[in-house]
Each structure stands twice: as structure tokens, then as C-alpha cells.
Short mmCIF file of all heavy atoms in Angstrom, two decimals:
data_model
loop_
_atom_site.label_atom_id
_atom_site.label_comp_id
_atom_site.label_asym_id
_atom_site.label_seq_id
_atom_site.Cartn_x
_atom_site.Cartn_y
_atom_site.Cartn_z
N VAL H 11 23.01 -20.56 -3.66
CA VAL H 11 23.64 -19.37 -4.24
C VAL H 11 25.11 -19.64 -4.53
O VAL H 11 25.64 -19.26 -5.59
CB VAL H 11 23.47 -18.16 -3.30
CG1 VAL H 11 24.32 -16.98 -3.77
CG2 VAL H 11 22.00 -17.75 -3.21
N HIS H 12 25.79 -20.30 -3.59
CA HIS H 12 27.22 -20.61 -3.79
C HIS H 12 27.40 -21.52 -5.01
O HIS H 12 28.32 -21.30 -5.82
CB HIS H 12 27.76 -21.29 -2.53
CG HIS H 12 29.18 -21.75 -2.67
ND1 HIS H 12 30.26 -20.88 -2.69
CD2 HIS H 12 29.71 -23.01 -2.81
CE1 HIS H 12 31.38 -21.57 -2.83
NE2 HIS H 12 31.07 -22.86 -2.91
N LEU H 13 26.54 -22.53 -5.16
CA LEU H 13 26.66 -23.45 -6.28
C LEU H 13 26.36 -22.77 -7.62
O LEU H 13 26.90 -23.16 -8.67
CB LEU H 13 25.71 -24.64 -6.08
CG LEU H 13 26.13 -25.63 -4.99
CD1 LEU H 13 24.95 -26.52 -4.59
CD2 LEU H 13 27.30 -26.50 -5.48
N LEU H 14 25.51 -21.75 -7.60
CA LEU H 14 25.15 -21.06 -8.84
C LEU H 14 26.17 -20.00 -9.24
O LEU H 14 26.11 -19.47 -10.35
CB LEU H 14 23.77 -20.40 -8.69
CG LEU H 14 22.57 -21.35 -8.62
CD1 LEU H 14 21.31 -20.57 -8.30
CD2 LEU H 14 22.40 -22.11 -9.94
N ASP H 15 27.10 -19.69 -8.34
CA ASP H 15 28.09 -18.65 -8.60
C ASP H 15 28.89 -19.00 -9.86
O ASP H 15 29.46 -20.09 -9.97
CB ASP H 15 29.02 -18.51 -7.40
CG ASP H 15 29.97 -17.33 -7.56
OD1 ASP H 15 29.56 -16.32 -8.16
OD2 ASP H 15 31.12 -17.42 -7.08
N GLY H 16 28.93 -18.07 -10.80
CA GLY H 16 29.69 -18.29 -12.04
C GLY H 16 28.89 -18.94 -13.14
O GLY H 16 29.40 -19.08 -14.26
N HIS H 17 27.66 -19.35 -12.88
CA HIS H 17 26.83 -19.98 -13.90
C HIS H 17 25.87 -18.96 -14.51
O HIS H 17 25.44 -18.01 -13.85
CB HIS H 17 26.02 -21.14 -13.30
CG HIS H 17 26.87 -22.32 -12.94
ND1 HIS H 17 27.17 -23.33 -13.84
CD2 HIS H 17 27.49 -22.65 -11.77
CE1 HIS H 17 27.93 -24.23 -13.24
NE2 HIS H 17 28.14 -23.84 -11.99
N ASP H 18 25.53 -19.16 -15.77
CA ASP H 18 24.60 -18.26 -16.44
C ASP H 18 23.23 -18.31 -15.77
O ASP H 18 22.83 -19.33 -15.20
CB ASP H 18 24.46 -18.64 -17.92
CG ASP H 18 25.74 -18.39 -18.70
OD1 ASP H 18 26.56 -17.58 -18.23
OD2 ASP H 18 25.91 -19.03 -19.76
N GLU H 19 22.52 -17.20 -15.89
CA GLU H 19 21.18 -17.12 -15.31
C GLU H 19 20.29 -18.22 -15.88
O GLU H 19 20.29 -18.48 -17.08
CB GLU H 19 20.59 -15.74 -15.63
CG GLU H 19 19.17 -15.54 -15.17
CD GLU H 19 18.59 -14.25 -15.72
OE1 GLU H 19 19.05 -13.16 -15.30
OE2 GLU H 19 17.69 -14.33 -16.59
N GLY H 20 19.50 -18.85 -14.98
CA GLY H 20 18.60 -19.92 -15.40
C GLY H 20 17.39 -20.00 -14.49
O GLY H 20 17.24 -19.20 -13.56
N PRO H 21 16.50 -20.98 -14.72
CA PRO H 21 15.29 -21.11 -13.91
C PRO H 21 15.57 -21.27 -12.41
O PRO H 21 14.77 -20.82 -11.58
CB PRO H 21 14.61 -22.36 -14.47
CG PRO H 21 15.12 -22.46 -15.88
CD PRO H 21 16.53 -21.96 -15.82
N VAL H 22 16.69 -21.92 -12.07
CA VAL H 22 16.99 -22.12 -10.64
C VAL H 22 17.22 -20.79 -9.95
O VAL H 22 16.84 -20.60 -8.79
CB VAL H 22 18.21 -23.05 -10.47
CG1 VAL H 22 18.51 -23.26 -8.99
CG2 VAL H 22 17.95 -24.39 -11.14
N HIS H 23 17.83 -19.82 -10.65
CA HIS H 23 18.02 -18.49 -10.07
C HIS H 23 16.67 -17.87 -9.70
O HIS H 23 16.53 -17.22 -8.65
CB HIS H 23 18.75 -17.57 -11.06
CG HIS H 23 20.18 -17.93 -11.31
ND1 HIS H 23 20.55 -18.95 -12.15
CD2 HIS H 23 21.34 -17.40 -10.81
CE1 HIS H 23 21.87 -19.05 -12.19
NE2 HIS H 23 22.38 -18.11 -11.38
N ALA H 24 15.67 -18.07 -10.55
CA ALA H 24 14.34 -17.52 -10.29
C ALA H 24 13.71 -18.18 -9.06
O ALA H 24 13.11 -17.50 -8.21
CB ALA H 24 13.45 -17.72 -11.51
N VAL H 25 13.85 -19.51 -8.96
CA VAL H 25 13.28 -20.23 -7.82
C VAL H 25 13.94 -19.79 -6.52
O VAL H 25 13.27 -19.57 -5.50
CB VAL H 25 13.43 -21.75 -8.03
CG1 VAL H 25 13.01 -22.51 -6.77
CG2 VAL H 25 12.59 -22.21 -9.22
N VAL H 26 15.26 -19.63 -6.54
CA VAL H 26 15.98 -19.18 -5.34
C VAL H 26 15.50 -17.81 -4.90
O VAL H 26 15.26 -17.55 -3.71
CB VAL H 26 17.51 -19.18 -5.58
CG1 VAL H 26 18.24 -18.47 -4.44
CG2 VAL H 26 18.02 -20.61 -5.73
N ALA H 27 15.31 -16.89 -5.86
CA ALA H 27 14.83 -15.55 -5.52
C ALA H 27 13.44 -15.61 -4.90
O ALA H 27 13.13 -14.88 -3.94
CB ALA H 27 14.82 -14.66 -6.77
N ALA H 28 12.57 -16.47 -5.44
CA ALA H 28 11.21 -16.59 -4.91
C ALA H 28 11.22 -17.09 -3.46
O ALA H 28 10.49 -16.58 -2.60
CB ALA H 28 10.39 -17.52 -5.79
N ILE H 29 12.06 -18.10 -3.20
CA ILE H 29 12.11 -18.64 -1.83
C ILE H 29 12.72 -17.63 -0.87
O ILE H 29 12.25 -17.47 0.27
CB ILE H 29 12.92 -19.96 -1.82
CG1 ILE H 29 12.25 -20.99 -2.72
CG2 ILE H 29 13.05 -20.51 -0.40
CD1 ILE H 29 13.09 -22.21 -2.99
N ARG H 30 13.75 -16.90 -1.33
CA ARG H 30 14.35 -15.86 -0.48
C ARG H 30 13.33 -14.76 -0.18
O ARG H 30 13.31 -14.21 0.93
CB ARG H 30 15.58 -15.27 -1.16
CG ARG H 30 16.74 -16.26 -1.27
CD ARG H 30 17.94 -15.65 -1.96
NE ARG H 30 18.78 -14.89 -1.05
CZ ARG H 30 19.94 -14.36 -1.39
NH1 ARG H 30 20.40 -14.49 -2.62
NH2 ARG H 30 20.66 -13.69 -0.51
N ALA H 31 12.46 -14.45 -1.15
CA ALA H 31 11.44 -13.43 -0.92
C ALA H 31 10.52 -13.84 0.22
O ALA H 31 10.22 -13.04 1.12
CB ALA H 31 10.63 -13.20 -2.20
N TYR H 32 10.09 -15.10 0.21
CA TYR H 32 9.16 -15.54 1.27
C TYR H 32 9.86 -15.76 2.59
O TYR H 32 9.26 -15.55 3.66
CB TYR H 32 8.38 -16.79 0.84
CG TYR H 32 6.95 -16.42 0.54
CD1 TYR H 32 6.57 -16.05 -0.74
CD2 TYR H 32 6.01 -16.36 1.55
CE1 TYR H 32 5.28 -15.67 -1.02
CE2 TYR H 32 4.71 -15.97 1.29
CZ TYR H 32 4.35 -15.63 0.01
OH TYR H 32 3.06 -15.22 -0.24
N GLU H 33 11.12 -16.15 2.57
CA GLU H 33 11.86 -16.27 3.84
C GLU H 33 11.94 -14.91 4.52
O GLU H 33 11.72 -14.79 5.72
CB GLU H 33 13.26 -16.83 3.56
CG GLU H 33 14.11 -17.06 4.81
CD GLU H 33 14.87 -15.81 5.24
OE1 GLU H 33 15.33 -15.06 4.35
OE2 GLU H 33 15.01 -15.58 6.47
N ARG H 34 12.24 -13.87 3.74
CA ARG H 34 12.32 -12.52 4.31
C ARG H 34 10.92 -12.03 4.74
O ARG H 34 10.78 -11.37 5.77
CB ARG H 34 12.91 -11.55 3.29
CG ARG H 34 14.40 -11.74 3.01
CD ARG H 34 15.27 -11.33 4.21
NE ARG H 34 15.34 -12.36 5.23
CZ ARG H 34 15.66 -12.14 6.51
NH1 ARG H 34 15.92 -10.91 6.91
NH2 ARG H 34 15.72 -13.12 7.38
N PHE H 35 9.91 -12.35 3.95
CA PHE H 35 8.54 -11.95 4.29
C PHE H 35 8.11 -12.58 5.61
O PHE H 35 7.56 -11.90 6.49
CB PHE H 35 7.60 -12.38 3.16
CG PHE H 35 6.14 -12.14 3.46
CD1 PHE H 35 5.59 -10.88 3.40
CD2 PHE H 35 5.30 -13.21 3.80
CE1 PHE H 35 4.25 -10.66 3.67
CE2 PHE H 35 3.97 -13.00 4.07
CZ PHE H 35 3.43 -11.73 4.00
N MET H 36 8.36 -13.87 5.78
CA MET H 36 7.95 -14.57 7.00
C MET H 36 8.71 -14.08 8.23
O MET H 36 8.21 -14.20 9.35
CB MET H 36 8.14 -16.08 6.82
CG MET H 36 7.16 -16.69 5.83
SD MET H 36 7.53 -18.42 5.45
CE MET H 36 7.21 -19.18 7.05
N CYS H 37 9.89 -13.53 8.01
CA CYS H 37 10.68 -13.01 9.13
C CYS H 37 10.43 -11.53 9.38
O CYS H 37 11.02 -10.95 10.29
CB CYS H 37 12.17 -13.26 8.88
SG CYS H 37 12.62 -15.01 8.96
N GLY H 38 9.58 -10.89 8.58
CA GLY H 38 9.21 -9.50 8.82
C GLY H 38 10.14 -8.47 8.20
O GLY H 38 10.02 -7.28 8.50
N ASP H 39 11.06 -8.88 7.32
CA ASP H 39 11.98 -7.95 6.66
C ASP H 39 11.35 -7.57 5.32
O ASP H 39 11.67 -8.13 4.27
CB ASP H 39 13.34 -8.62 6.47
CG ASP H 39 14.38 -7.67 5.87
OD1 ASP H 39 14.02 -6.54 5.49
OD2 ASP H 39 15.56 -8.09 5.79
N MET H 40 10.47 -6.57 5.33
CA MET H 40 9.68 -6.26 4.15
C MET H 40 10.49 -5.66 3.01
O MET H 40 10.22 -5.92 1.84
CB MET H 40 8.53 -5.31 4.52
CG MET H 40 7.50 -5.91 5.45
SD MET H 40 6.65 -7.37 4.74
CE MET H 40 7.37 -8.68 5.74
N ALA H 41 11.51 -4.85 3.33
CA ALA H 41 12.32 -4.23 2.27
C ALA H 41 13.05 -5.30 1.47
O ALA H 41 13.04 -5.31 0.23
CB ALA H 41 13.30 -3.24 2.88
N ALA H 42 13.71 -6.22 2.17
CA ALA H 42 14.43 -7.30 1.48
C ALA H 42 13.46 -8.22 0.76
O ALA H 42 13.75 -8.72 -0.34
CB ALA H 42 15.28 -8.08 2.48
N ALA H 43 12.30 -8.47 1.36
CA ALA H 43 11.30 -9.33 0.73
C ALA H 43 10.83 -8.71 -0.59
O ALA H 43 10.69 -9.41 -1.61
CB ALA H 43 10.11 -9.55 1.66
N ARG H 44 10.59 -7.41 -0.59
CA ARG H 44 10.16 -6.72 -1.81
C ARG H 44 11.24 -6.84 -2.89
O ARG H 44 10.94 -7.11 -4.06
CB ARG H 44 9.88 -5.25 -1.50
CG ARG H 44 9.60 -4.39 -2.69
CD ARG H 44 8.18 -4.50 -3.17
NE ARG H 44 7.26 -3.77 -2.32
CZ ARG H 44 5.94 -3.74 -2.51
NH1 ARG H 44 5.42 -4.42 -3.52
NH2 ARG H 44 5.16 -3.05 -1.70
N GLU H 45 12.50 -6.63 -2.51
CA GLU H 45 13.61 -6.70 -3.47
C GLU H 45 13.69 -8.09 -4.10
O GLU H 45 13.82 -8.23 -5.33
CB GLU H 45 14.92 -6.36 -2.76
CG GLU H 45 16.14 -6.44 -3.65
CD GLU H 45 17.43 -6.19 -2.87
OE1 GLU H 45 17.35 -5.75 -1.70
OE2 GLU H 45 18.51 -6.43 -3.44
N GLN H 46 13.61 -9.13 -3.27
CA GLN H 46 13.70 -10.50 -3.79
C GLN H 46 12.46 -10.87 -4.60
O GLN H 46 12.57 -11.60 -5.60
CB GLN H 46 13.89 -11.48 -2.63
CG GLN H 46 15.22 -11.37 -1.92
CD GLN H 46 16.39 -11.72 -2.83
OE1 GLN H 46 16.31 -12.62 -3.66
NE2 GLN H 46 17.49 -11.00 -2.67
N ALA H 47 11.28 -10.37 -4.19
CA ALA H 47 10.06 -10.67 -4.95
C ALA H 47 10.13 -10.05 -6.34
O ALA H 47 9.76 -10.70 -7.34
CB ALA H 47 8.84 -10.14 -4.19
N ASP H 48 10.61 -8.81 -6.44
CA ASP H 48 10.77 -8.17 -7.75
C ASP H 48 11.74 -8.97 -8.62
O ASP H 48 11.52 -9.14 -9.83
CB ASP H 48 11.28 -6.74 -7.58
CG ASP H 48 10.21 -5.80 -7.02
OD1 ASP H 48 9.02 -6.13 -7.09
OD2 ASP H 48 10.59 -4.73 -6.49
N MET H 49 12.82 -9.46 -7.99
CA MET H 49 13.80 -10.25 -8.73
C MET H 49 13.18 -11.56 -9.21
O MET H 49 13.40 -12.00 -10.35
CB MET H 49 15.01 -10.53 -7.84
CG MET H 49 16.17 -11.19 -8.56
SD MET H 49 17.57 -11.53 -7.45
CE MET H 49 17.91 -9.86 -6.85
N ALA H 50 12.37 -12.20 -8.33
CA ALA H 50 11.73 -13.46 -8.71
C ALA H 50 10.78 -13.26 -9.89
O ALA H 50 10.73 -14.10 -10.82
CB ALA H 50 10.97 -14.03 -7.52
N ILE H 51 10.05 -12.14 -9.89
CA ILE H 51 9.12 -11.86 -11.00
C ILE H 51 9.89 -11.67 -12.30
O ILE H 51 9.55 -12.27 -13.34
CB ILE H 51 8.27 -10.62 -10.68
CG1 ILE H 51 7.36 -10.88 -9.47
CG2 ILE H 51 7.45 -10.20 -11.88
CD1 ILE H 51 6.70 -9.63 -8.92
N ALA H 52 10.94 -10.86 -12.24
CA ALA H 52 11.71 -10.58 -13.45
C ALA H 52 12.40 -11.84 -13.98
O ALA H 52 12.33 -12.15 -15.18
CB ALA H 52 12.74 -9.49 -13.17
N LEU H 53 13.05 -12.58 -13.09
CA LEU H 53 13.73 -13.81 -13.50
C LEU H 53 12.73 -14.85 -13.99
O LEU H 53 12.98 -15.58 -14.95
CB LEU H 53 14.55 -14.37 -12.34
CG LEU H 53 15.82 -13.60 -11.96
CD1 LEU H 53 16.38 -14.11 -10.63
CD2 LEU H 53 16.87 -13.76 -13.06
N GLY H 54 11.59 -14.94 -13.28
CA GLY H 54 10.58 -15.92 -13.68
C GLY H 54 10.07 -15.67 -15.08
O GLY H 54 9.86 -16.62 -15.86
N ARG H 55 9.88 -14.41 -15.43
CA ARG H 55 9.40 -14.09 -16.78
C ARG H 55 10.47 -14.39 -17.83
O ARG H 55 10.17 -14.93 -18.90
CB ARG H 55 8.99 -12.63 -16.84
CG ARG H 55 7.68 -12.35 -16.09
CD ARG H 55 7.38 -10.88 -15.96
NE ARG H 55 6.09 -10.66 -15.31
CZ ARG H 55 5.67 -9.49 -14.84
NH1 ARG H 55 6.45 -8.41 -14.95
NH2 ARG H 55 4.49 -9.39 -14.26
N ARG H 56 11.73 -14.05 -17.50
CA ARG H 56 12.80 -14.29 -18.49
C ARG H 56 13.09 -15.77 -18.66
O ARG H 56 13.42 -16.22 -19.76
CB ARG H 56 14.08 -13.56 -18.05
CG ARG H 56 14.02 -12.06 -18.18
CD ARG H 56 15.42 -11.46 -18.24
NE ARG H 56 16.18 -11.67 -17.02
CZ ARG H 56 16.22 -10.83 -15.98
NH1 ARG H 56 15.51 -9.71 -16.03
NH2 ARG H 56 16.95 -11.09 -14.92
N GLN H 57 12.96 -16.53 -17.57
CA GLN H 57 13.33 -17.94 -17.61
C GLN H 57 12.13 -18.88 -17.73
O GLN H 57 12.27 -20.09 -17.57
CB GLN H 57 14.14 -18.30 -16.34
CG GLN H 57 15.45 -17.55 -16.22
CD GLN H 57 16.38 -17.85 -17.38
OE1 GLN H 57 16.41 -18.97 -17.91
NE2 GLN H 57 17.13 -16.83 -17.81
N ASP H 58 10.96 -18.30 -17.97
CA ASP H 58 9.74 -19.10 -18.15
C ASP H 58 9.47 -19.98 -16.93
O ASP H 58 9.09 -21.16 -17.06
CB ASP H 58 9.84 -19.96 -19.41
CG ASP H 58 8.47 -20.50 -19.84
OD1 ASP H 58 7.45 -19.86 -19.50
OD2 ASP H 58 8.43 -21.56 -20.48
#
């Protein structure tokens, strides 16, 4: 996330969101997992 700061949205942003979604899911934080999963879906579609 720090390295991506200031860079235009790209496929790596989508991958980071997907991994953050599962990290939160595996730790039992369902609200944050849902937020990151929605972001991963949206970014994944925009960034192919």
C-alpha cells in the first residue's frame, strides 16, 4: 500500500484488495472483509 501511494489505479491495487479481504476474513473481521471484497470485485473488473 505504501509503495502504491501516489500511483494511478492498476491491477496491483485489485490484487492487494483481494488479499486484504481474505486476511480480514480469516481473522474473523467480517465487516472489513466485506468492504475489501467489494473493492476487489470493483477494481478487478475495471483493471481486468
Side-chain angles (χ1 to χ4, degrees):
V11 170
H12 175 73
L13 288 163
L14 290 173
D15 186 34
H17 289 273
D18 292 339
E19 176 189 292
V22 180
H23 291 79
V25 172
V26 169
I29 299 169
R30 292 180 84 175
Y32 253 91
E33 182 273 324
R34 289 291 80 201
F35 174 76
M36 291 172 66
C37 291
D39 184 354
M40 294 299 108
R44 173 81 76 182
E45 178 184 349
Q46 292 296 323
D48 288 341
M49 188 181 302
I51 295 169
L53 288 169
R55 288 171 177 167
R56 288 201 297 268
Q57 297 299 325
D58 196 25

